[in-house]
Amino acid sequence: MQSSTRIRMAAVAALLGWVAVFTGPGAPEAEAAPPDTTVGDLTGFSADGAVYRLEAGAAEARVSFVSDETFRIELAPDGAFSDPTGDDIVLPQGTPPRTRWKERDDRYELSTADITLHAYKSPLRFALYRADGTRLWSESKGLSWNGERTVQTLDRGTDEQFYGAGMQNGRGNTSHRGKTVEVGVDYNWNDGGHPNSVPFYLSSAGYGVFRNTYAPNTYAFTDPVTTSAQEKRFDAYYFAGDNAKDVIGQYTKLTGKPFLPPVYGLEIGDADCYLHNANRGERRTLDALKVADGYVEHDMPNGWMLVNDGYGCGYEDLEETAEGLQDRGMQLGLWTEDGLDKIAEQVRAGQRVAKLDVAWVGEGYKFALDGCKDAYKGIEDNSDARGFTYAPESWSGAQRCGVQWSGDQYGTWDYIRWQIPTYAGATMSGLAYTTGDVDGIFGGSAKTYTRDLQWKMFLGTTMTMDGWAPSDKQPFRYGEPYTSINRDYLKLKESLLPYQYSYAHEATKTGVGMVRPLVLEFPDDPKAASDAAKYEFMSGEHFLVAPVYRDSTERDGIYLPKGTWTDYWSGRMYEGPTTVDDYAAPLDTLPLFVRGGAAVPMWPGIRSYRDRTADSPLVWDVYPRGKSSFTLYEDDGVTRQHRAGRYATQTAEVDAPVRGAGDVTVRIGASEGEFTGKQTARPYEFGVHTGSEPGAVELGGKLPRLDSGAAYRAADRGWWYDRDDRGGVVKIKTGKLSTDKKFAVKLKGTSAVGGRDAAATAALAAPAGQEVGAGTGSTVAVDVTAGTADVTDAEVTLDVPEGWRVARPATVDRVPAGTTRRVELTVTPAKDAEAGEAGITAVARYRSAGESRTAVQRFAAAVMPPPPTGGAWASDLVWLKSANGYGPAERDRSNGESGAADGRTLTLAGKTYEKGIGTHADSEIEVYLGGRCTAFTADVGIDDEINGYGEVAFSVEADGKVLWTSPKLTGASATVPVDVRLDGARHVSLKVTDTNGSRTGDHGDWAAARFTCS
């Protein structure tokens, strides 16, 4: 039952003032569309510098060149040009380029140094060519129009791929070829919607198109390609580029480069209503400080807090709240529910973040875009801070003033799935910062929250929001192990701030955001444009992120393009192109890979960027492969002084073998530039992932070699080879060095990433589905697979959760090259170990190809509860899985709203039940029986509270086999009894499935659900 969502969306639609068109029973009969008119023959031509006018009867076209690679085509069917966007979107572009024109028998050729536009005479039709004669695009018919829209029709290339159109939920990071995308507000913030649309697309043929309009657009990338806008005028800018990054750069040169957020804007934010919150009881704005204290007490980063995020939520004690947040290392944000009239006084009181609500945006995209600009400007006009806004509905140009936020969603596995392509795809439209709330704002669970937070740490910006959920959703609310996992990922993002901030600065120059579809980095790889890469993305050029979007401890279908890739957690190497299946991903493990050649700057061990001092180290995490480099960008992180040139850059260059043995040199250039707070000297640390121990490390002279991790941690200067860290990492400390002087660290006699003989490295794996019993000795299996050389003298042990015991390590004398040996170890979980997933790390120390090596692999084992005995109610058992279509599944209640235990008495056909399970399709409840039970009984149906509607089917599955299925049931159906034999079943799943494509009212009850056990 999703009535609250429907009501809210209807309210939003009404408040926005945009017009929605509805069809269906009772709708007025649609009028026939007016006939199309296609532009006719050319009847006049004139040139005025870089502007050309082409007449076709009453219609007139105008071509205006902006640069050598950018130009504009306008068409006025009645000969009268207009520009509804004015100077809202397109920025001043300076002096037009030199152009020339030539008349031929069938066309005019309008040229710059780089491109030539053909304007054919009969009929008027355009085609674009590079200076070398390569065709970029060609109209298959002339521009056409009717009373409702204008259309351009283009030939589609044999292998031509298309991207863009802004934030397209569930799409965009792979090709739009063969699909139709809408550009315009639709109030749909879920899969298939298109909030934060942008009327721009780009083609793999080397061009992009921006429709300069506020009208909704439709782009059909069929054959031919038809692109239309709902207005009786045509106005489009065209960009010719060497690649997609170049085209994005030209588009954002025209409409504005992305803004540079403050550093705290890259930290996670927190949002809730703290004044008279209907969901939380009476609270005051200053209560936000108690939540801020929770972040500090749990050692969790948090950059800012919106303290009035909720309809009808005001604020009080603003200045005191702002000061309290700043004392805790955070900034104050406000939700602009009622406009921007007070932004000046709010900013002077301490506001530094503005989240723009849809409810006051008004009629049309101009109002939304103006809101973004005005809020941004309001922060800057009344403080020395940078403007920083969030917006759920925006348009071209909004990239220069805010983060594009995907709106209100539910915390589900499907929510994670479709958001992955959404944000990576939006980068193809010049949107550098796109994001959604961690685990949505409705519903959610501890597990989906943790999985969602993991991958969103590799977005530039994100926040967690509480006000519409049944309980608070800060990352420390769910207890262990979730709190510790969330902390680890929050702090990992914090350590990566110099890397991410450098990409934020790069976006201000190139227009290209950090979060990238694979095709942007690997344009010549056809798989990168396909569904093979849909649910993964690049975070910068160096991290490939493949989020887990199912309730699973494994991830399949991870596509790694050409190159060398290192598993961030284990150090295991992969040579691309390859597809990785069965990747072990327990709850604490985000599938994460580092590209060979990476040099990643990091701030280690901090909770907030404010923890940095004049003596704080800068760490370079290096994966040496061939020649590579990275340029670190630094400024004061908060003010606008960088716009006056107050910033610094420092480049790391790595020179290493492409593979195999050799020396590795890391050169750190002088830091060039100045800003307030710049470190004049600092300690440097390096983690160089060689996989082979060097003979010496030099910095001027030889650095001292240290013999243990403890000695390394205690030293100010020296190096240590940690063979147990991710396949072997050389750890180096330089001591404090001047930032205005360059230096080089040389690792003698080592190797590229992966070791002197990377192919000889062994790999560990654990079979899926392993189960252990609380307090019971259990067997855990680990597979050791040798590489191209024999594995000898291997010792395998396990790192297990606190309170568990492990028997002696398993030893293996030899594993022949290319073969696998399974070893078994005995573990005893703690007696009070909670049922569910437990993370275990297998560690193998061995010799291969003349070197001592270590392989590690994290995997999940399932802790099983004691099996039931006698007669056991299903609602009283531990649920291994509890997936539900709306809110949580309920014990001994019907399905309620989004909170636990908010359902009503279970009622089927007038009969009430004290025991049972209330669900909402699609749902699955899994229990562990351990082979002890013989039968399952229940009464099933749709709860009486639904009053006749809904349509579902029930099923009982045991160990993956379907044992029983009900007929389709509606709210008017009679109760169906269930009596299923379960002899020998270990796992049983109770499923309720929607059967008519509409989940409204699908409240399926397992009433009196009971197991008979021995």
Side-chain angles (χ1 to χ4, degrees):
M1 184 173 67
Q2 300 183 2
S3 56
S4 59
T5 306
R6 291 197 302 272
I7 292 169
R8 184 164 189 207
M9 296 301 288
V12 167
L15 288 164
L16 267 163
W18 280 304
V19 177
V21 178
F22 298 93
T23 60
E29 192 171 315
E31 297 181 9
D36 286 351
T37 299
T38 301
V39 67
D41 294 347
L42 190 65
T43 57
F45 173 86
S46 63
D48 182 8
V51 179
Y52 299 85
R53 300 177 80 96
L54 302 99
E55 298 173 9
E60 184 172 338
R62 182 164 62 191
V63 177
S64 308
F65 286 90
V66 176
S67 73
D68 282 333
E69 295 178 307
T70 301
F71 63 94
R72 180 185 190 184
I73 296 178
E74 300 168 88
L75 176 74
D78 60 0
F81 292 104
S82 63
D83 185 357
T85 68
D87 59 3
D88 294 344
I89 301 174
V90 174
L91 301 178
Q93 296 295 300
T95 304
R98 292 184 60 185
T99 66
R100 61 189 184 279
W101 63 274
K102 181 184 296 184
E103 183 177 8
R104 298 191 183 275
D105 289 344
D106 64 337
R107 66 184 184 270
Y108 286 90
E109 296 180 357
L110 319 177
S111 301
T112 69
D114 294 332
I115 56 175
T116 295
L117 180 68
H118 289 187
Y120 293 95
K121 297 178 180 179
S122 184
L124 176 58
R125 183 174 60 83
F126 295 102
L128 180 64
Y129 292 79
R130 295 192 192 276
D132 64 4
T134 303
R135 190 179 75 179
L136 296 181
W137 58 260
S138 176
E139 290 183 334
S140 56
K141 61 180 286 189
L143 295 170
S144 60
W145 64 89
N146 58 35
E148 298 176 353
R149 63 176 191 164
T150 58
V151 181
Q152 184 175 44
T153 305
L154 302 176
D155 290 325
R156 190 179 73 178
T158 303
D159 298 314
E160 190 174 7
Q161 310 297 327
F162 302 90
Y163 306 89
M167 187 183 284
Q168 294 285 327
N169 287 352
R171 298 155 292 166
N173 70 332
T174 53
S175 177
H176 291 315
R177 180 182 174 92
K179 302 169 186 174
T180 298
V181 297
E182 299 293 338
V183 179
V185 68
D186 66 348
Y187 319 116
N188 181 0
W189 294 327
N190 297 303
D191 193 5
H194 39 88
N196 293 295
S197 290
V198 175
F200 165 82
Y201 70 90
L202 61 83
S203 161
S204 63
Y207 71 91
V209 184
F210 162 59
R211 293 289 280 261
N212 182 37
T213 179
Y214 282 130
N217 286 227
T218 299
Y219 303 152
F221 297 110
T222 49
D223 190 11
V225 174
T226 59
T227 62
S228 66
Q230 293 179 23
E231 59 182 354
K232 194 178 175 180
R233 56 184 290 275
F234 182 86
D235 188 349
Y237 286 83
Y238 298 83
F239 316 94
D242 295 331
N243 51 52
K245 290 181 180 179
D246 188 17
V247 172
I248 294 168
Q250 291 183 51
Y251 162 70
T252 53
K253 182 177 183 295
L254 184 79
T255 63
K257 299 297 184 190
F259 76 112
L260 180 63
V263 173
Y264 54 79
L266 300 185
E267 298 177 319
I268 195 170
D270 188 285
D272 201 351
C273 170
Y274 289 96
L275 188 62
H276 316 310
N277 187 325
N279 289 348
R280 302 290 186 272
E282 185 63 23
R283 296 199 298 188
R284 318 300 297 189
T285 302
L286 285 170
D287 287 336
L289 302 183
K290 299 174 185 176
V291 173
D293 286 336
Y295 282 96
V296 176
E297 292 164 4
H298 288 88
D299 191 25
M300 287 185 166
N302 186 63
W304 47 278
M305 291 185 69
L306 296 171
V307 299
N308 68 330
D309 202 354
Y311 282 116
C313 187
Y315 59 79
E316 61 189 7
D317 302 318
L318 205 59
E319 188 170 350
E320 187 178 352
T321 302
E323 291 174 356
L325 290 175
Q326 290 167 3
D327 290 342
R328 293 157 174 83
M330 306 170 199
Q331 294 290 350
L332 171 70
L334 291 174
W335 191 38
T336 56
E337 179 194 354
D338 54 358
L340 293 168
D341 294 346
K342 300 177 182 177
I343 194 164
E345 63 185 81
Q346 291 168 342
V347 172
R348 287 193 289 268
Q351 179 187 2
R352 294 295 180 268
V353 183
K355 181 185 169 203
L356 307 176
D357 182 45
V358 294
W360 65 275
V361 166
E363 295 185 6
Y365 303 101
K366 174 177 169 54
F367 209 111
L369 183 57
D370 285 347
C372 179
K373 295 176 186 177
D374 292 346
Y376 184 88
K377 187 173 184 294
I379 292 172
E380 297 203 343
D381 285 352
N382 295 282
S383 71
D384 65 351
R386 303 173 199 173
F388 185 61
T389 77
Y390 264 61
E393 295 289 356
S394 59
W395 201 244
S396 288
Q399 71 273 4
R400 60 189 191 240
C401 56
V403 176
Q404 279 68 54
W405 169 70
S406 59
D408 299 343
Q409 292 111 9
Y410 286 84
T412 64
W413 293 107
D414 200 50
Y415 167 72
I416 297 174
R417 178 194 60 78
W418 64 254
Q419 285 203 331
I420 301 164
T422 300
Y423 306 135
T427 300
M428 302 298 264
S429 299
L431 300 179
Y433 307 100
T434 54
T435 193
D437 302 319
V438 175
D439 205 32
I441 72 168
F442 302 110
S445 68
K447 192 177 286 188
T448 53
Y449 189 100
T450 297
R451 284 297 195 193
D452 200 36
L453 182 142
Q454 287 174 356
W455 72 275
K456 283 180 175 168
M457 295 302 93
F458 288 84
L459 303 180
T461 53
T462 197
M463 71 176 184
T464 184
M465 197 276 188
D466 305 302
W468 297 87
S471 59
D472 286 340
K473 297 186 75 170
Q474 282 82 24
F476 49 82
R477 296 292 184 186
Y478 291 108
E480 296 298 342
Y482 311 103
T483 295
S484 291
I485 298 171
N486 293 339
R487 179 190 301 111
D488 288 345
Y489 280 89
L490 286 164
K491 296 188 82 169
L492 175 59
K493 178 178 176 63
E494 208 72 14
S495 70
L496 289 171
L497 279 178
Y499 174 82
Q500 296 190 355
Y501 195 57
S502 296
Y503 275 104
H505 172 257
E506 180 181 297
T508 68
K509 304 298 182 183
T510 66
V512 180
M514 180 183 72
V515 181
R516 304 172 179 189
L518 266 62
V519 72
L520 195 59
E521 292 299 324
F522 303 94
D524 298 325
D525 185 339
K527 278 197 170 183
S530 73
D531 283 354
K534 186 171 185 177
Y535 297 115
E536 55 193 71
F537 64 93
M538 298 295 295
S539 186
E541 297 176 32
H542 301 304
F543 288 104
L544 187 149
V545 186
V548 176
Y549 56 90
R550 295 189 177 98
D551 189 2
S552 174
T553 58
E554 291 189 340
R555 173 66 150 85
D556 290 332
I558 302 173
Y559 179 67
L560 303 178
K562 184 178 180 180
T564 298
W565 299 92
T566 301
D567 185 318
Y568 186 77
W569 310 109
S570 71
R572 180 174 177 178
M573 282 186 54
Y574 300 85
E575 284 294 329
T578 189
T579 298
V580 179
D581 290 322
D582 303 321
Y583 180 94
L587 185 62
D588 61 2
T589 303
L590 167 72
L592 180 64
F593 302 85
V594 188
R595 194 174 180 181
V600 179
M602 302 179 74
W603 290 339
I606 60 171
R607 187 192 69 82
S608 166
Y609 78 94
R610 296 188 183 194
D611 293 343
R612 299 280 296 169
T613 70
D615 297 323
S616 293
L618 178 68
V619 174
W620 286 93
D621 197 30
V622 180
Y623 297 75
R625 184 180 187 271
K627 293 183 183 296
S628 59
S629 66
F630 187 89
T631 299
L632 169 71
Y633 171 85
E634 299 176 282
D635 61 25
D636 67 25
V638 177
T639 75
R640 304 188 295 276
Q641 292 184 19
H642 65 287
R643 297 179 192 167
R646 300 281 294 172
Y647 63 86
T649 58
Q650 186 175 36
T651 299
E653 296 179 336
V654 182
D655 191 349
V658 173
R659 59 179 55 83
D663 296 343
V664 174
T665 302
V666 183
R667 297 180 179 88
I668 303 299
S671 177
E672 300 179 356
E674 299 293 334
F675 60 89
T676 303
K678 178 183 175 181
Q679 290 175 292
T680 57
R682 62 183 165 208
Y684 291 86
E685 297 182 22
F686 297 85
V688 187
H689 297 249
T690 59
S692 289
E693 184 172 8
V697 177
E698 298 176 350
L699 174 59
K702 286 187 176 181
L703 280 173
R705 180 175 185 162
L706 305 167
D707 59 6
S708 68
Y712 178 79
R713 288 187 292 272
D716 293 326
R717 191 170 180 270
W719 70 276
W720 172 57
Y721 179 67
D722 187 352
R723 64 171 280 195
D724 292 344
D725 185 8
R726 293 171 289 174
V729 179
V730 185
K731 299 181 177 179
I732 304 165
K733 288 182 177 179
T734 67
K736 187 175 283 190
L737 299 175
S738 172
T739 55
D740 65 2
K741 290 183 171 59
K742 63 183 180 181
F743 66 92
V745 175
K746 189 167 188 177
L747 290 71
K748 302 282 289 184
T750 182
S751 66
V753 61
R756 297 183 184 96
D757 187 353
T761 303
L764 299 185
Q770 298 194 72
E771 297 177 356
V772 295
T776 303
S778 306
T779 298
V780 171
V782 176
D783 292 334
V784 182
T785 300
T788 56
D790 290 359
V791 165
T792 60
D793 303 324
E795 181 181 88
V796 182
T797 188
L798 303 175
D799 289 339
V800 295
E802 185 176 354
W804 291 33
R805 298 194 310 275
V806 184
R808 64 181 181 275
T811 58
V812 182
D813 292 336
R814 182 179 299 275
V815 182
T819 67
T820 298
R821 172 79 177 271
R822 175 163 293 181
V823 298
E824 294 184 341
L825 300 99
T826 300
V827 301
T828 305
K831 289 183 178 180
D832 59 352
E834 290 190 16
E837 175 190 330
I840 297 175
T841 302
V843 181
R845 294 177 176 86
Y846 66 98
R847 287 189 61 80
S848 180
E851 292 189 83
S852 295
R853 304 171 184 242
T854 303
V856 299
Q857 181 61 60
R858 187 79 168 154
F859 65 96
V863 179
M864 294 294 105
T869 58
W873 296 109
S875 57
D876 293 340
L877 298 180
V878 173
W879 293 347
L880 299 181
K881 181 182 289 185
S882 178
N884 203 50
Y886 182 80
E890 298 280 9
R891 298 176 186 267
D892 305 326
R893 295 172 182 264
S894 67
N895 187 84
E897 292 295 325
S898 55
D902 62 2
R904 302 174 183 174
T905 301
L906 289 163
T907 308
L908 293 176
K911 180 179 178 179
T912 61
Y913 296 81
E914 292 186 5
K915 304 294 291 183
I917 302 173
T919 71
H920 188 298
D922 292 336
S923 71
E924 178 180 3
I925 306 296
E926 181 184 342
V927 296
Y928 177 70
L929 305 181
R932 294 277 191 87
C933 302
T934 58
F936 170 72
T937 58
D939 290 342
V940 298
I942 292 180
D943 197 281
D944 289 356
E945 66 189 0
I946 294 306
N947 195 27
Y949 57 98
E951 185 180 301
V952 302
F954 293 77
S955 63
V956 179
E957 297 183 10
D959 299 329
K961 296 181 179 179
V962 178
L963 302 183
W964 175 85
T965 301
S966 77
K968 294 180 182 180
L969 301 178
T970 71
S973 298
T975 303
V976 174
V978 185
D979 190 348
V980 180
R981 298 294 299 174
L982 298 175
D983 294 340
R986 294 177 58 81
H987 293 258
V988 168
S989 292
L990 309 178
K991 295 185 177 181
V992 181
T993 307
D994 169 68
T995 56
N996 65 353
S998 172
R999 291 180 174 84
T1000 301
D1002 287 350
H1003 285 209
D1005 291 347
W1006 295 91
R1010 184 177 178 86
F1011 294 95
T1012 302
C1013 309
S1014 60

